[in-house]
Structure formats: C-alpha cells, structure tokens
Amino acid sequence: MASLPVVNQPAHRVGALIDHLARRLRLRSETVLEPLGLRPRHLLALTLVRDRDGISQQTLASTLEMDGTNVVGLLNDLEREQLVERRRSPEDRRRHTVSLTEAGAKTLAKAEFALAAVEDEVFCALDTDQRETLYRLLQTASNGEQPICTETIPDC
C-alpha cells in the first residue's frame, strides 16, 4: 500500500479561524442590515455607486463580477427603494449610469455606522493597533503580495 506524502503543515491553521470570524461577521451584518432593507450585495453596490458617482451599469457589473442581468435586478431593488437612480449616459444614449440619491446616501451612512458597531463587537478583544495590523495582513493576503515589514509585523 502506497503511503501518502507528508505535507509540512504550520502549527496554526488560519483558514478555519478566518471562516469562523467571517461567518460571525456575516450573520451579525445581515441582522443589522435587514431593518434598513439591505442585503450585503445591496451594500456593496451602494458603496461602489457612492465611490464612483455616475458609474455605468456595465462597469458596476464587471466590478461586482456579476452577470449584467443580475445587476439589473439588483439596481431594480435599489431604485424601487429610491436609493439609486439610473440615467441615460450623455456620451452614449444606449448606456445607463447609476448615481446615489440623497436617501441612498443616508441609508448607506446608517448601514456603515451599524456595521462599524458589528466590527467592534466581533473584534472587541483587539486594540486599535492590533486591528490595523490585522487589516493590513488580510489586505496583503487578499492581494497575494508579500507583506511590507513593519515593527508591528514581526518575522516577515
């Protein structure tokens, strides 16, 4: 019988911890977004529309990595609640641009405030410096880059 190759494994596996924290964040986030009539995908779209006012539907679909048909449904939800508005692009009348309404900006601000409280709850055991270090490490890992060595990130 052939033996399995030995895989060198670190003493601590982070995947399960990240998954656990992500699940806690997701569940709490969904709970605080529901009273605002939002789901996480709505929040993502609203944030992108705020940050890139006048974004085209096509660019929004590409950025969200969603099919154009699904983005239309997502925007229909947001437009129905008067959180965004679509207009014909002045440069190309076949395309639509999306902008945040005043109600959308207020709802997004409430959502971000509520989500900050969720992060405070989930990460209450970490001080400000530790949270910043965690953020930088996760950002580095998500970008697939080598970490930038600092005093707060030892042994890199």
PDB file of all heavy atoms in Angstrom, residues 107-128:
ATOM      1  N   THR A 107     -29.078  56.145   3.865  1.00  0.00           N
ATOM      2  CA  THR A 107     -29.200  54.730   4.203  1.00  0.00           C
ATOM      3  C   THR A 107     -27.825  54.080   4.276  1.00  0.00           C
ATOM      4  O   THR A 107     -27.545  53.294   5.190  1.00  0.00           O
ATOM      5  CB  THR A 107     -30.091  54.002   3.170  1.00  0.00           C
ATOM      6  OG1 THR A 107     -31.393  54.594   3.200  1.00  0.00           O
ATOM      7  CG2 THR A 107     -30.201  52.520   3.467  1.00  0.00           C
ATOM      8  N   LEU A 108     -26.954  54.433   3.342  1.00  0.00           N
ATOM      9  CA  LEU A 108     -25.595  53.883   3.342  1.00  0.00           C
ATOM     10  C   LEU A 108     -24.838  54.329   4.595  1.00  0.00           C
ATOM     11  O   LEU A 108     -24.141  53.520   5.219  1.00  0.00           O
ATOM     12  CB  LEU A 108     -24.844  54.305   2.075  1.00  0.00           C
ATOM     13  CG  LEU A 108     -23.430  53.772   1.917  1.00  0.00           C
ATOM     14  CD1 LEU A 108     -23.377  52.244   1.995  1.00  0.00           C
ATOM     15  CD2 LEU A 108     -22.840  54.256   0.598  1.00  0.00           C
ATOM     16  N   ALA A 109     -24.990  55.568   5.002  1.00  0.00           N
ATOM     17  CA  ALA A 109     -24.330  56.057   6.212  1.00  0.00           C
ATOM     18  C   ALA A 109     -24.831  55.293   7.442  1.00  0.00           C
ATOM     19  O   ALA A 109     -24.033  54.901   8.309  1.00  0.00           O
ATOM     20  CB  ALA A 109     -24.567  57.557   6.381  1.00  0.00           C
ATOM     21  N   LYS A 110     -26.131  55.049   7.522  1.00  0.00           N
ATOM     22  CA  LYS A 110     -26.688  54.265   8.637  1.00  0.00           C
ATOM     23  C   LYS A 110     -26.135  52.846   8.631  1.00  0.00           C
ATOM     24  O   LYS A 110     -25.793  52.304   9.680  1.00  0.00           O
ATOM     25  CB  LYS A 110     -28.222  54.211   8.548  1.00  0.00           C
ATOM     26  CG  LYS A 110     -28.916  55.506   8.870  1.00  0.00           C
ATOM     27  CD  LYS A 110     -30.421  55.356   8.687  1.00  0.00           C
ATOM     28  CE  LYS A 110     -31.136  56.673   8.849  1.00  0.00           C
ATOM     29  NZ  LYS A 110     -32.586  56.541   8.565  1.00  0.00           N
ATOM     30  N   ALA A 111     -26.054  52.260   7.459  1.00  0.00           N
ATOM     31  CA  ALA A 111     -25.545  50.888   7.335  1.00  0.00           C
ATOM     32  C   ALA A 111     -24.087  50.825   7.767  1.00  0.00           C
ATOM     33  O   ALA A 111     -23.686  49.915   8.510  1.00  0.00           O
ATOM     34  CB  ALA A 111     -25.707  50.389   5.903  1.00  0.00           C
ATOM     35  N   GLU A 112     -23.282  51.777   7.327  1.00  0.00           N
ATOM     36  CA  GLU A 112     -21.863  51.779   7.686  1.00  0.00           C
ATOM     37  C   GLU A 112     -21.669  51.980   9.187  1.00  0.00           C
ATOM     38  O   GLU A 112     -20.795  51.357   9.799  1.00  0.00           O
ATOM     39  CB  GLU A 112     -21.107  52.840   6.883  1.00  0.00           C
ATOM     40  CG  GLU A 112     -20.979  52.450   5.418  1.00  0.00           C
ATOM     41  CD  GLU A 112     -20.349  53.510   4.545  1.00  0.00           C
ATOM     42  OE1 GLU A 112     -20.471  54.716   4.849  1.00  0.00           O
ATOM     43  OE2 GLU A 112     -19.736  53.125   3.535  1.00  0.00           O
ATOM     44  N   PHE A 113     -22.507  52.804   9.789  1.00  0.00           N
ATOM     45  CA  PHE A 113     -22.449  53.013  11.238  1.00  0.00           C
ATOM     46  C   PHE A 113     -22.794  51.707  11.961  1.00  0.00           C
ATOM     47  O   PHE A 113     -22.095  51.303  12.899  1.00  0.00           O
ATOM     48  CB  PHE A 113     -23.408  54.139  11.648  1.00  0.00           C
ATOM     49  CG  PHE A 113     -23.370  54.468  13.099  1.00  0.00           C
ATOM     50  CD1 PHE A 113     -22.341  55.245  13.621  1.00  0.00           C
ATOM     51  CD2 PHE A 113     -24.348  54.002  13.950  1.00  0.00           C
ATOM     52  CE1 PHE A 113     -22.296  55.549  14.979  1.00  0.00           C
ATOM     53  CE2 PHE A 113     -24.312  54.301  15.312  1.00  0.00           C
ATOM     54  CZ  PHE A 113     -23.287  55.076  15.825  1.00  0.00           C
ATOM     55  N   ALA A 114     -23.842  51.044  11.515  1.00  0.00           N
ATOM     56  CA  ALA A 114     -24.264  49.778  12.127  1.00  0.00           C
ATOM     57  C   ALA A 114     -23.191  48.708  11.951  1.00  0.00           C
ATOM     58  O   ALA A 114     -22.919  47.925  12.870  1.00  0.00           O
ATOM     59  CB  ALA A 114     -25.590  49.320  11.533  1.00  0.00           C
ATOM     60  N   LEU A 115     -22.573  48.672  10.783  1.00  0.00           N
ATOM     61  CA  LEU A 115     -21.531  47.672  10.525  1.00  0.00           C
ATOM     62  C   LEU A 115     -20.263  47.946  11.326  1.00  0.00           C
ATOM     63  O   LEU A 115     -19.557  47.007  11.722  1.00  0.00           O
ATOM     64  CB  LEU A 115     -21.231  47.590   9.036  1.00  0.00           C
ATOM     65  CG  LEU A 115     -22.368  47.001   8.203  1.00  0.00           C
ATOM     66  CD1 LEU A 115     -22.072  47.148   6.721  1.00  0.00           C
ATOM     67  CD2 LEU A 115     -22.637  45.559   8.569  1.00  0.00           C
ATOM     68  N   ALA A 116     -19.975  49.204  11.603  1.00  0.00           N
ATOM     69  CA  ALA A 116     -18.827  49.534  12.455  1.00  0.00           C
ATOM     70  C   ALA A 116     -19.068  48.980  13.858  1.00  0.00           C
ATOM     71  O   ALA A 116     -18.135  48.457  14.496  1.00  0.00           O
ATOM     72  CB  ALA A 116     -18.601  51.044  12.492  1.00  0.00           C
ATOM     73  N   ALA A 117     -20.309  49.060  14.339  1.00  0.00           N
ATOM     74  CA  ALA A 117     -20.637  48.503  15.649  1.00  0.00           C
ATOM     75  C   ALA A 117     -20.490  46.984  15.645  1.00  0.00           C
ATOM     76  O   ALA A 117     -20.033  46.393  16.628  1.00  0.00           O
ATOM     77  CB  ALA A 117     -22.058  48.902  16.047  1.00  0.00           C
ATOM     78  N   VAL A 118     -20.837  46.342  14.536  1.00  0.00           N
ATOM     79  CA  VAL A 118     -20.668  44.891  14.407  1.00  0.00           C
ATOM     80  C   VAL A 118     -19.187  44.533  14.484  1.00  0.00           C
ATOM     81  O   VAL A 118     -18.792  43.601  15.190  1.00  0.00           O
ATOM     82  CB  VAL A 118     -21.298  44.364  13.096  1.00  0.00           C
ATOM     83  CG1 VAL A 118     -20.864  42.936  12.805  1.00  0.00           C
ATOM     84  CG2 VAL A 118     -22.816  44.461  13.153  1.00  0.00           C
ATOM     85  N   GLU A 119     -18.353  45.273  13.761  1.00  0.00           N
ATOM     86  CA  GLU A 119     -16.909  45.015  13.812  1.00  0.00           C
ATOM     87  C   GLU A 119     -16.374  45.207  15.220  1.00  0.00           C
ATOM     88  O   GLU A 119     -15.546  44.422  15.688  1.00  0.00           O
ATOM     89  CB  GLU A 119     -16.161  45.908  12.829  1.00  0.00           C
ATOM     90  CG  GLU A 119     -16.257  45.429  11.412  1.00  0.00           C
ATOM     91  CD  GLU A 119     -15.300  46.162  10.478  1.00  0.00           C
ATOM     92  OE1 GLU A 119     -14.337  46.801  10.957  1.00  0.00           O
ATOM     93  OE2 GLU A 119     -15.511  46.071   9.264  1.00  0.00           O
ATOM     94  N   ASP A 120     -16.845  46.242  15.913  1.00  0.00           N
ATOM     95  CA  ASP A 120     -16.410  46.472  17.288  1.00  0.00           C
ATOM     96  C   ASP A 120     -16.792  45.280  18.167  1.00  0.00           C
ATOM     97  O   ASP A 120     -16.019  44.862  19.026  1.00  0.00           O
ATOM     98  CB  ASP A 120     -17.018  47.752  17.855  1.00  0.00           C
ATOM     99  CG  ASP A 120     -16.381  49.005  17.295  1.00  0.00           C
ATOM    100  OD1 ASP A 120     -15.274  48.916  16.727  1.00  0.00           O
ATOM    101  OD2 ASP A 120     -17.002  50.081  17.417  1.00  0.00           O
ATOM    102  N   GLU A 121     -17.963  44.740  17.943  1.00  0.00           N
ATOM    103  CA  GLU A 121     -18.436  43.592  18.723  1.00  0.00           C
ATOM    104  C   GLU A 121     -17.597  42.341  18.436  1.00  0.00           C
ATOM    105  O   GLU A 121     -17.151  41.655  19.345  1.00  0.00           O
ATOM    106  CB  GLU A 121     -19.907  43.329  18.370  1.00  0.00           C
ATOM    107  CG  GLU A 121     -20.517  42.125  19.029  1.00  0.00           C
ATOM    108  CD  GLU A 121     -21.923  41.867  18.508  1.00  0.00           C
ATOM    109  OE1 GLU A 121     -22.673  42.826  18.254  1.00  0.00           O
ATOM    110  OE2 GLU A 121     -22.244  40.679  18.338  1.00  0.00           O
ATOM    111  N   VAL A 122     -17.385  42.054  17.164  1.00  0.00           N
ATOM    112  CA  VAL A 122     -16.673  40.836  16.783  1.00  0.00           C
ATOM    113  C   VAL A 122     -15.184  40.917  17.139  1.00  0.00           C
ATOM    114  O   VAL A 122     -14.582  39.932  17.553  1.00  0.00           O
ATOM    115  CB  VAL A 122     -16.873  40.529  15.279  1.00  0.00           C
ATOM    116  CG1 VAL A 122     -15.996  39.372  14.828  1.00  0.00           C
ATOM    117  CG2 VAL A 122     -18.350  40.217  15.001  1.00  0.00           C
ATOM    118  N   PHE A 123     -14.598  42.096  17.001  1.00  0.00           N
ATOM    119  CA  PHE A 123     -13.163  42.252  17.243  1.00  0.00           C
ATOM    120  C   PHE A 123     -12.862  42.971  18.558  1.00  0.00           C
ATOM    121  O   PHE A 123     -11.791  43.575  18.706  1.00  0.00           O
ATOM    122  CB  PHE A 123     -12.507  42.985  16.067  1.00  0.00           C
ATOM    123  CG  PHE A 123     -12.569  42.211  14.791  1.00  0.00           C
ATOM    124  CD1 PHE A 123     -13.424  42.594  13.770  1.00  0.00           C
ATOM    125  CD2 PHE A 123     -11.795  41.070  14.614  1.00  0.00           C
ATOM    126  CE1 PHE A 123     -13.496  41.857  12.587  1.00  0.00           C
ATOM    127  CE2 PHE A 123     -11.854  40.328  13.454  1.00  0.00           C
ATOM    128  CZ  PHE A 123     -12.704  40.728  12.434  1.00  0.00           C
ATOM    129  N   CYS A 124     -13.748  42.871  19.530  1.00  0.00           N
ATOM    130  CA  CYS A 124     -13.591  43.603  20.794  1.00  0.00           C
ATOM    131  C   CYS A 124     -12.332  43.202  21.562  1.00  0.00           C
ATOM    132  O   CYS A 124     -11.812  43.988  22.359  1.00  0.00           O
ATOM    133  CB  CYS A 124     -14.823  43.447  21.672  1.00  0.00           C
ATOM    134  SG  CYS A 124     -15.126  41.746  22.220  1.00  0.00           S
ATOM    135  N   ALA A 125     -11.794  42.019  21.313  1.00  0.00           N
ATOM    136  CA  ALA A 125     -10.595  41.573  22.029  1.00  0.00           C
ATOM    137  C   ALA A 125      -9.318  42.210  21.481  1.00  0.00           C
ATOM    138  O   ALA A 125      -8.256  42.080  22.103  1.00  0.00           O
ATOM    139  CB  ALA A 125     -10.482  40.052  21.961  1.00  0.00           C
ATOM    140  N   LEU A 126      -9.410  42.904  20.352  1.00  0.00           N
ATOM    141  CA  LEU A 126      -8.233  43.526  19.738  1.00  0.00           C
ATOM    142  C   LEU A 126      -8.240  45.029  19.977  1.00  0.00           C
ATOM    143  O   LEU A 126      -9.279  45.678  19.846  1.00  0.00           O
ATOM    144  CB  LEU A 126      -8.211  43.267  18.229  1.00  0.00           C
ATOM    145  CG  LEU A 126      -8.212  41.814  17.767  1.00  0.00           C
ATOM    146  CD1 LEU A 126      -8.238  41.745  16.245  1.00  0.00           C
ATOM    147  CD2 LEU A 126      -7.014  41.067  18.317  1.00  0.00           C
ATOM    148  N   ASP A 127      -7.063  45.576  20.289  1.00  0.00           N
ATOM    149  CA  ASP A 127      -6.978  47.032  20.410  1.00  0.00           C
ATOM    150  C   ASP A 127      -6.835  47.646  19.013  1.00  0.00           C
ATOM    151  O   ASP A 127      -6.745  46.937  18.012  1.00  0.00           O
ATOM    152  CB  ASP A 127      -5.840  47.461  21.353  1.00  0.00           C
ATOM    153  CG  ASP A 127      -4.445  47.117  20.847  1.00  0.00           C
ATOM    154  OD1 ASP A 127      -4.229  47.064  19.618  1.00  0.00           O
ATOM    155  OD2 ASP A 127      -3.550  46.915  21.700  1.00  0.00           O
ATOM    156  N   THR A 128      -6.790  48.952  18.941  1.00  0.00           N
ATOM    157  CA  THR A 128      -6.744  49.662  17.659  1.00  0.00           C
ATOM    158  C   THR A 128      -5.538  49.262  16.816  1.00  0.00           C
ATOM    159  O   THR A 128      -5.668  49.021  15.612  1.00  0.00           O
ATOM    160  CB  THR A 128      -6.741  51.186  17.900  1.00  0.00           C
ATOM    161  OG1 THR A 128      -7.893  51.522  18.672  1.00  0.00           O
ATOM    162  CG2 THR A 128      -6.775  51.957  16.598  1.00  0.00           C
TER     163      THR A 128
END
